[in-house]
PDB file of all heavy atoms in Angstrom:
ATOM      1  N   MET M   1       0.812  -1.237  -0.021  1.00 37.00           N
ATOM      2  CA  MET M   1       0.013  -0.015   0.040  1.00 37.00           C
ATOM      3  C   MET M   1       0.837   1.292   0.000  1.00 37.00           C
ATOM      4  O   MET M   1       0.481   2.252  -0.529  1.00 37.00           O
ATOM      5  CB  MET M   1      -0.900  -0.003   1.222  1.00 37.00           C
ATOM      6  CG  MET M   1      -1.875  -1.181   1.249  1.00 37.00           C
ATOM      7  SD  MET M   1      -2.757  -1.293   2.792  1.00 37.00           S
ATOM      8  CE  MET M   1      -3.682   0.229   2.775  1.00 37.00           C
ATOM      9  N   ALA M   2       2.038   1.190   0.616  1.00 38.00           N
ATOM     10  CA  ALA M   2       2.907   2.374   0.677  1.00 38.00           C
ATOM     11  C   ALA M   2       3.885   2.416  -0.499  1.00 38.00           C
ATOM     12  O   ALA M   2       4.164   3.453  -0.961  1.00 38.00           O
ATOM     13  CB  ALA M   2       3.669   2.358   2.043  1.00 38.00           C
ATOM     14  N   LEU M   3       4.393   1.265  -0.857  1.00 39.00           N
ATOM     15  CA  LEU M   3       5.502   1.222  -1.840  1.00 39.00           C
ATOM     16  C   LEU M   3       5.170   1.109  -3.259  1.00 39.00           C
ATOM     17  O   LEU M   3       5.953   1.079  -4.112  1.00 39.00           O
ATOM     18  CB  LEU M   3       6.456   0.048  -1.419  1.00 39.00           C
ATOM     19  CG  LEU M   3       6.926   0.117   0.007  1.00 39.00           C
ATOM     20  CD1 LEU M   3       7.890  -1.103   0.255  1.00 39.00           C
ATOM     21  CD2 LEU M   3       7.628   1.417   0.343  1.00 39.00           C
ATOM     22  N   SER M   4       3.799   1.009  -3.581  1.00 38.00           N
ATOM     23  CA  SER M   4       3.380   0.864  -4.937  1.00 38.00           C
ATOM     24  C   SER M   4       3.000   2.193  -5.589  1.00 38.00           C
ATOM     25  O   SER M   4       2.701   2.282  -6.763  1.00 38.00           O
ATOM     26  CB  SER M   4       2.208  -0.085  -5.018  1.00 38.00           C
ATOM     27  OG  SER M   4       1.089   0.401  -4.334  1.00 38.00           O
ATOM     28  N   THR M   5       2.988   3.320  -4.831  1.00 38.00           N
ATOM     29  CA  THR M   5       2.582   4.582  -5.350  1.00 38.00           C
ATOM     30  C   THR M   5       3.739   5.143  -6.215  1.00 38.00           C
ATOM     31  O   THR M   5       4.864   5.034  -5.884  1.00 38.00           O
ATOM     32  CB  THR M   5       2.265   5.588  -4.220  1.00 38.00           C
ATOM     33  OG1 THR M   5       3.358   5.604  -3.310  1.00 38.00           O
ATOM     34  CG2 THR M   5       1.024   5.130  -3.461  1.00 38.00           C
ATOM     35  N   PRO M   6       3.360   5.784  -7.323  1.00 40.00           N
ATOM     36  CA  PRO M   6       4.396   6.300  -8.232  1.00 40.00           C
ATOM     37  C   PRO M   6       5.279   7.375  -7.564  1.00 40.00           C
ATOM     38  O   PRO M   6       6.481   7.408  -7.749  1.00 40.00           O
ATOM     39  CB  PRO M   6       3.544   6.903  -9.379  1.00 40.00           C
ATOM     40  CG  PRO M   6       2.241   6.259  -9.306  1.00 40.00           C
ATOM     41  CD  PRO M   6       2.026   5.983  -7.837  1.00 40.00           C
ATOM     42  N   ASP M   7       4.668   8.285  -6.811  1.00 41.00           N
ATOM     43  CA  ASP M   7       5.384   9.404  -6.223  1.00 41.00           C
ATOM     44  C   ASP M   7       5.769   9.053  -4.767  1.00 41.00           C
ATOM     45  O   ASP M   7       5.230   9.531  -3.812  1.00 41.00           O
ATOM     46  CB  ASP M   7       4.560  10.680  -6.261  1.00 41.00           C
ATOM     47  CG  ASP M   7       5.400  11.905  -5.962  1.00 41.00           C
ATOM     48  OD1 ASP M   7       6.598  11.763  -5.811  1.00 41.00           O
ATOM     49  OD2 ASP M   7       4.850  13.015  -5.935  1.00 41.00           O
ATOM     50  N   ILE M   8       6.709   8.136  -4.565  1.00 39.00           N
ATOM     51  CA  ILE M   8       6.987   7.571  -3.274  1.00 39.00           C
ATOM     52  C   ILE M   8       7.796   8.528  -2.436  1.00 39.00           C
ATOM     53  O   ILE M   8       7.927   8.347  -1.206  1.00 39.00           O
ATOM     54  CB  ILE M   8       7.728   6.259  -3.435  1.00 39.00           C
ATOM     55  CG1 ILE M   8       7.653   5.474  -2.144  1.00 39.00           C
ATOM     56  CG2 ILE M   8       9.211   6.489  -3.799  1.00 39.00           C
ATOM     57  CD1 ILE M   8       8.154   4.033  -2.248  1.00 39.00           C
ATOM     58  N   GLN M   9       8.346   9.603  -3.010  1.00 43.00           N
ATOM     59  CA  GLN M   9       9.206  10.507  -2.192  1.00 43.00           C
ATOM     60  C   GLN M   9       8.425  11.479  -1.329  1.00 43.00           C
ATOM     61  O   GLN M   9       8.998  12.151  -0.476  1.00 43.00           O
ATOM     62  CB  GLN M   9      10.126  11.311  -3.189  1.00 43.00           C
ATOM     63  CG  GLN M   9      11.069  10.365  -3.957  1.00 43.00           C
ATOM     64  CD  GLN M   9      11.998   9.583  -3.002  1.00 43.00           C
ATOM     65  OE1 GLN M   9      12.464  10.081  -2.001  1.00 43.00           O
ATOM     66  NE2 GLN M   9      12.257   8.361  -3.373  1.00 43.00           N
ATOM     67  N   LYS M  10       7.114  11.603  -1.546  1.00 44.00           N
ATOM     68  CA  LYS M  10       6.372  12.524  -0.760  1.00 44.00           C
ATOM     69  C   LYS M  10       6.197  12.006   0.661  1.00 44.00           C
ATOM     70  O   LYS M  10       5.913  10.810   0.878  1.00 44.00           O
ATOM     71  CB  LYS M  10       4.967  12.738  -1.422  1.00 44.00           C
ATOM     72  CG  LYS M  10       4.998  13.556  -2.664  1.00 44.00           C
ATOM     73  CD  LYS M  10       3.586  13.817  -3.149  1.00 44.00           C
ATOM     74  CE  LYS M  10       3.581  14.652  -4.423  1.00 44.00           C
ATOM     75  NZ  LYS M  10       2.220  14.906  -4.912  1.00 44.00           N
ATOM     76  N   PRO M  11       6.384  12.848   1.696  1.00 41.00           N
ATOM     77  CA  PRO M  11       6.186  12.414   3.062  1.00 41.00           C
ATOM     78  C   PRO M  11       4.819  11.870   3.318  1.00 41.00           C
ATOM     79  O   PRO M  11       4.592  11.019   4.159  1.00 41.00           O
ATOM     80  CB  PRO M  11       6.440  13.690   3.884  1.00 41.00           C
ATOM     81  CG  PRO M  11       7.334  14.506   2.980  1.00 41.00           C
ATOM     82  CD  PRO M  11       6.873  14.228   1.557  1.00 41.00           C
ATOM     83  N   PHE M  12       3.788  12.373   2.581  1.00 46.00           N
ATOM     84  CA  PHE M  12       2.421  11.908   2.759  1.00 46.00           C
ATOM     85  C   PHE M  12       2.294  10.415   2.584  1.00 46.00           C
ATOM     86  O   PHE M  12       1.511   9.758   3.236  1.00 46.00           O
ATOM     87  CB  PHE M  12       1.493  12.617   1.759  1.00 46.00           C
ATOM     88  CG  PHE M  12       0.116  12.105   1.811  1.00 46.00           C
ATOM     89  CD1 PHE M  12      -0.752  12.496   2.835  1.00 46.00           C
ATOM     90  CD2 PHE M  12      -0.358  11.206   0.828  1.00 46.00           C
ATOM     91  CE1 PHE M  12      -2.054  11.975   2.873  1.00 46.00           C
ATOM     92  CE2 PHE M  12      -1.686  10.720   0.893  1.00 46.00           C
ATOM     93  CZ  PHE M  12      -2.505  11.136   1.868  1.00 46.00           C
ATOM     94  N   ASP M  13       3.076   9.835   1.681  1.00 77.00           N
ATOM     95  CA  ASP M  13       3.013   8.430   1.439  1.00 77.00           C
ATOM     96  C   ASP M  13       3.330   7.651   2.707  1.00 77.00           C
ATOM     97  O   ASP M  13       2.635   6.696   3.031  1.00 77.00           O
ATOM     98  CB  ASP M  13       3.966   8.001   0.287  1.00 77.00           C
ATOM     99  CG  ASP M  13       3.555   8.598  -1.056  1.00 77.00           C
ATOM    100  OD1 ASP M  13       2.328   8.767  -1.289  1.00 77.00           O
ATOM    101  OD2 ASP M  13       4.408   8.910  -1.825  1.00 77.00           O
ATOM    102  N   LEU M  14       4.401   8.018   3.358  1.00 88.00           N
ATOM    103  CA  LEU M  14       4.781   7.338   4.607  1.00 88.00           C
ATOM    104  C   LEU M  14       3.702   7.608   5.703  1.00 88.00           C
ATOM    105  O   LEU M  14       3.382   6.672   6.446  1.00 88.00           O
ATOM    106  CB  LEU M  14       6.114   7.907   5.061  1.00 88.00           C
ATOM    107  CG  LEU M  14       7.375   7.433   4.331  1.00 88.00           C
ATOM    108  CD1 LEU M  14       8.625   8.073   4.966  1.00 88.00           C
ATOM    109  CD2 LEU M  14       7.476   5.938   4.321  1.00 88.00           C
ATOM    110  N   GLN M  15       3.230   8.792   5.799  1.00 90.00           N
ATOM    111  CA  GLN M  15       2.247   9.053   6.781  1.00 90.00           C
ATOM    112  C   GLN M  15       0.999   8.267   6.547  1.00 90.00           C
ATOM    113  O   GLN M  15       0.422   7.713   7.512  1.00 90.00           O
ATOM    114  CB  GLN M  15       1.922  10.550   6.837  1.00 90.00           C
ATOM    115  CG  GLN M  15       0.889  10.962   7.874  1.00 90.00           C
ATOM    116  CD  GLN M  15       0.750  12.458   7.971  1.00 90.00           C
ATOM    117  OE1 GLN M  15       1.675  13.260   7.747  1.00 90.00           O
ATOM    118  NE2 GLN M  15      -0.461  12.873   8.394  1.00 90.00           N
ATOM    119  N   ARG M  16       0.560   8.136   5.334  1.00 87.00           N
ATOM    120  CA  ARG M  16      -0.634   7.362   5.002  1.00 87.00           C
ATOM    121  C   ARG M  16      -0.409   5.870   5.357  1.00 87.00           C
ATOM    122  O   ARG M  16      -1.302   5.258   5.874  1.00 87.00           O
ATOM    123  CB  ARG M  16      -0.938   7.492   3.481  1.00 87.00           C
ATOM    124  CG  ARG M  16      -2.164   6.791   2.991  1.00 87.00           C
ATOM    125  CD  ARG M  16      -3.407   7.456   3.490  1.00 87.00           C
ATOM    126  NE  ARG M  16      -3.931   6.889   4.677  1.00 87.00           N
ATOM    127  CZ  ARG M  16      -4.813   7.491   5.495  1.00 87.00           C
ATOM    128  NH1 ARG M  16      -5.244   8.716   5.261  1.00 87.00           N
ATOM    129  NH2 ARG M  16      -5.272   6.882   6.564  1.00 87.00           N
ATOM    130  N   TYR M  17       0.795   5.407   5.049  1.00 89.00           N
ATOM    131  CA  TYR M  17       1.073   3.995   5.370  1.00 89.00           C
ATOM    132  C   TYR M  17       1.000   3.781   6.826  1.00 89.00           C
ATOM    133  O   TYR M  17       0.383   2.783   7.324  1.00 89.00           O
ATOM    134  CB  TYR M  17       2.445   3.624   4.852  1.00 89.00           C
ATOM    135  CG  TYR M  17       2.872   2.233   5.296  1.00 89.00           C
ATOM    136  CD1 TYR M  17       2.280   1.151   4.664  1.00 89.00           C
ATOM    137  CD2 TYR M  17       3.794   2.046   6.281  1.00 89.00           C
ATOM    138  CE1 TYR M  17       2.639  -0.126   5.057  1.00 89.00           C
ATOM    139  CE2 TYR M  17       4.171   0.753   6.696  1.00 89.00           C
ATOM    140  CZ  TYR M  17       3.581  -0.352   6.041  1.00 89.00           C
ATOM    141  OH  TYR M  17       3.931  -1.582   6.446  1.00 89.00           O
ATOM    142  N   PHE M  18       1.590   4.678   7.668  1.00 93.00           N
ATOM    143  CA  PHE M  18       1.570   4.467   9.107  1.00 93.00           C
ATOM    144  C   PHE M  18       0.182   4.595   9.690  1.00 93.00           C
ATOM    145  O   PHE M  18      -0.208   3.842  10.578  1.00 93.00           O
ATOM    146  CB  PHE M  18       2.490   5.468   9.769  1.00 93.00           C
ATOM    147  CG  PHE M  18       3.876   4.972   9.971  1.00 93.00           C
ATOM    148  CD1 PHE M  18       4.835   4.967   8.931  1.00 93.00           C
ATOM    149  CD2 PHE M  18       4.292   4.418  11.166  1.00 93.00           C
ATOM    150  CE1 PHE M  18       6.110   4.449   9.118  1.00 93.00           C
ATOM    151  CE2 PHE M  18       5.604   3.927  11.405  1.00 93.00           C
ATOM    152  CZ  PHE M  18       6.491   3.918  10.368  1.00 93.00           C
ATOM    153  N   LEU M  19      -0.631   5.464   9.135  1.00 90.00           N
ATOM    154  CA  LEU M  19      -2.021   5.597   9.573  1.00 90.00           C
ATOM    155  C   LEU M  19      -2.790   4.312   9.301  1.00 90.00           C
ATOM    156  O   LEU M  19      -3.567   3.835  10.150  1.00 90.00           O
ATOM    157  CB  LEU M  19      -2.736   6.765   8.915  1.00 90.00           C
ATOM    158  CG  LEU M  19      -2.303   8.183   9.504  1.00 90.00           C
ATOM    159  CD1 LEU M  19      -2.908   9.289   8.616  1.00 90.00           C
ATOM    160  CD2 LEU M  19      -2.801   8.323  10.933  1.00 90.00           C
ATOM    161  N   ASP M  20      -2.570   3.767   8.109  1.00 86.00           N
ATOM    162  CA  ASP M  20      -3.279   2.539   7.781  1.00 86.00           C
ATOM    163  C   ASP M  20      -2.776   1.367   8.666  1.00 86.00           C
ATOM    164  O   ASP M  20      -3.530   0.535   9.108  1.00 86.00           O
ATOM    165  CB  ASP M  20      -3.051   2.200   6.282  1.00 86.00           C
ATOM    166  CG  ASP M  20      -3.770   3.084   5.331  1.00 86.00           C
ATOM    167  OD1 ASP M  20      -4.729   3.738   5.798  1.00 86.00           O
ATOM    168  OD2 ASP M  20      -3.371   3.153   4.173  1.00 86.00           O
ATOM    169  N   LEU M  21      -1.460   1.333   8.835  1.00 89.00           N
ATOM    170  CA  LEU M  21      -0.875   0.310   9.656  1.00 89.00           C
ATOM    171  C   LEU M  21      -1.407   0.320  11.102  1.00 89.00           C
ATOM    172  O   LEU M  21      -1.826  -0.681  11.669  1.00 89.00           O
ATOM    173  CB  LEU M  21       0.646   0.426   9.637  1.00 89.00           C
ATOM    174  CG  LEU M  21       1.424  -0.561  10.565  1.00 89.00           C
ATOM    175  CD1 LEU M  21       1.293  -1.999   9.998  1.00 89.00           C
ATOM    176  CD2 LEU M  21       2.890  -0.152  10.609  1.00 89.00           C
ATOM    177  N   LEU M  22      -1.426   1.534  11.699  1.00 90.00           N
ATOM    178  CA  LEU M  22      -1.894   1.674  13.057  1.00 90.00           C
ATOM    179  C   LEU M  22      -3.402   1.362  13.145  1.00 90.00           C
ATOM    180  O   LEU M  22      -3.831   0.683  14.114  1.00 90.00           O
ATOM    181  CB  LEU M  22      -1.610   3.095  13.530  1.00 90.00           C
ATOM    182  CG  LEU M  22      -0.149   3.509  13.666  1.00 90.00           C
ATOM    183  CD1 LEU M  22       0.005   4.985  13.962  1.00 90.00           C
ATOM    184  CD2 LEU M  22       0.576   2.622  14.691  1.00 90.00           C
ATOM    185  N   ASN M  23      -4.132   1.806  12.139  1.00 83.00           N
ATOM    186  CA  ASN M  23      -5.575   1.494  12.174  1.00 83.00           C
ATOM    187  C   ASN M  23      -5.832  -0.024  12.138  1.00 83.00           C
ATOM    188  O   ASN M  23      -6.700  -0.568  12.881  1.00 83.00           O
ATOM    189  CB  ASN M  23      -6.232   2.147  11.010  1.00 83.00           C
ATOM    190  CG  ASN M  23      -7.788   1.899  10.965  1.00 83.00           C
ATOM    191  OD1 ASN M  23      -8.448   2.114  11.921  1.00 83.00           O
ATOM    192  ND2 ASN M  23      -8.236   1.426   9.819  1.00 83.00           N
ATOM    193  N   CYS M  24      -5.114  -0.705  11.208  1.00 81.00           N
ATOM    194  CA  CYS M  24      -5.286  -2.153  11.085  1.00 81.00           C
ATOM    195  C   CYS M  24      -4.824  -2.927  12.313  1.00 81.00           C
ATOM    196  O   CYS M  24      -5.310  -4.048  12.570  1.00 81.00           O
ATOM    197  CB  CYS M  24      -4.571  -2.667   9.860  1.00 81.00           C
ATOM    198  SG  CYS M  24      -5.207  -2.052   8.338  1.00 81.00           S
ATOM    199  N   SER M  25      -3.931  -2.370  13.123  1.00 83.00           N
ATOM    200  CA  SER M  25      -3.395  -3.075  14.293  1.00 83.00           C
ATOM    201  C   SER M  25      -4.156  -2.771  15.516  1.00 83.00           C
ATOM    202  O   SER M  25      -3.850  -3.173  16.598  1.00 83.00           O
ATOM    203  CB  SER M  25      -1.933  -2.747  14.506  1.00 83.00           C
ATOM    204  OG  SER M  25      -1.754  -1.362  14.780  1.00 83.00           O
ATOM    205  N   GLY M  26      -5.252  -1.974  15.397  1.00 79.00           N
ATOM    206  CA  GLY M  26      -6.090  -1.663  16.499  1.00 79.00           C
ATOM    207  C   GLY M  26      -5.663  -0.440  17.320  1.00 79.00           C
ATOM    208  O   GLY M  26      -6.229  -0.152  18.400  1.00 79.00           O
ATOM    209  N   ALA M  27      -4.713   0.311  16.851  1.00 87.00           N
ATOM    210  CA  ALA M  27      -4.280   1.528  17.557  1.00 87.00           C
ATOM    211  C   ALA M  27      -5.268   2.681  17.305  1.00 87.00           C
ATOM    212  O   ALA M  27      -6.047   2.659  16.333  1.00 87.00           O
ATOM    213  CB  ALA M  27      -2.875   1.927  17.064  1.00 87.00           C
ATOM    214  N   VAL M  28      -5.187   3.655  18.185  1.00 87.00           N
ATOM    215  CA  VAL M  28      -5.970   4.895  18.046  1.00 87.00           C
ATOM    216  C   VAL M  28      -5.010   6.000  17.585  1.00 87.00           C
ATOM    217  O   VAL M  28      -4.083   6.323  18.311  1.00 87.00           O
ATOM    218  CB  VAL M  28      -6.662   5.263  19.314  1.00 87.00           C
ATOM    219  CG1 VAL M  28      -7.441   6.572  19.170  1.00 87.00           C
ATOM    220  CG2 VAL M  28      -7.628   4.155  19.798  1.00 87.00           C
ATOM    221  N   ALA M  29      -5.205   6.495  16.356  1.00 90.00           N
ATOM    222  CA  ALA M  29      -4.258   7.477  15.809  1.00 90.00           C
ATOM    223  C   ALA M  29      -5.011   8.693  15.337  1.00 90.00           C
ATOM    224  O   ALA M  29      -6.147   8.607  14.801  1.00 90.00           O
ATOM    225  CB  ALA M  29      -3.454   6.850  14.694  1.00 90.00           C
ATOM    226  N   GLU M  30      -4.386   9.830  15.460  1.00 91.00           N
ATOM    227  CA  GLU M  30      -4.941  11.063  14.925  1.00 91.00           C
ATOM    228  C   GLU M  30      -3.791  11.981  14.447  1.00 91.00           C
ATOM    229  O   GLU M  30      -2.604  11.707  14.802  1.00 91.00           O
ATOM    230  CB  GLU M  30      -5.748  11.844  15.978  1.00 91.00           C
ATOM    231  CG  GLU M  30      -5.038  12.188  17.236  1.00 91.00           C
ATOM    232  CD  GLU M  30      -5.895  12.859  18.257  1.00 91.00           C
ATOM    233  OE1 GLU M  30      -7.143  12.825  18.101  1.00 91.00           O
ATOM    234  OE2 GLU M  30      -5.350  13.500  19.203  1.00 91.00           O
ATOM    235  N   THR M  31      -4.149  13.009  13.691  1.00 91.00           N
ATOM    236  CA  THR M  31      -3.120  13.912  13.117  1.00 91.00           C
ATOM    237  C   THR M  31      -3.349  15.284  13.750  1.00 91.00           C
ATOM    238  O   THR M  31      -4.100  16.082  13.205  1.00 91.00           O
ATOM    239  CB  THR M  31      -3.220  13.980  11.597  1.00 91.00           C
ATOM    240  OG1 THR M  31      -4.597  14.330  11.251  1.00 91.00           O
ATOM    241  CG2 THR M  31      -2.863  12.644  10.981  1.00 91.00           C
ATOM    242  N   PRO M  32      -2.632  15.606  14.832  1.00 91.00           N
ATOM    243  CA  PRO M  32      -2.824  16.917  15.500  1.00 91.00           C
ATOM    244  C   PRO M  32      -2.223  18.100  14.763  1.00 91.00           C
ATOM    245  O   PRO M  32      -2.510  19.225  15.153  1.00 91.00           O
ATOM    246  CB  PRO M  32      -2.135  16.682  16.851  1.00 91.00           C
ATOM    247  CG  PRO M  32      -1.078  15.672  16.558  1.00 91.00           C
ATOM    248  CD  PRO M  32      -1.671  14.751  15.514  1.00 91.00           C
TER     249      PRO M  32
END
C-alpha cells in the first residue's frame, strides 16, 4: 500500500502508510 505509489518521495505516502498500519493493528491514531 505504501511502496506501490508512483510518487514515493512525498512524506504523505509514509504518513498514509503508518495511519493505515496503526488502524489495522487496533491503535488509536490522529493527526494533531
Side-chain angles (χ1 to χ4, degrees):
M1 299 171 63
L3 303 182
S4 62
T5 53
D7 194 2
I8 198 171
Q9 296 302 321
K10 289 185 178 181
F12 174 78
D13 295 327
L14 286 180
Q15 182 172 331
R16 181 73 264 163
Y17 175 73
F18 268 81
L19 285 171
D20 290 341
L21 176 68
L22 296 173
N23 179 55
C24 293
S25 64
V28 178
E30 59 181 16
T31 53

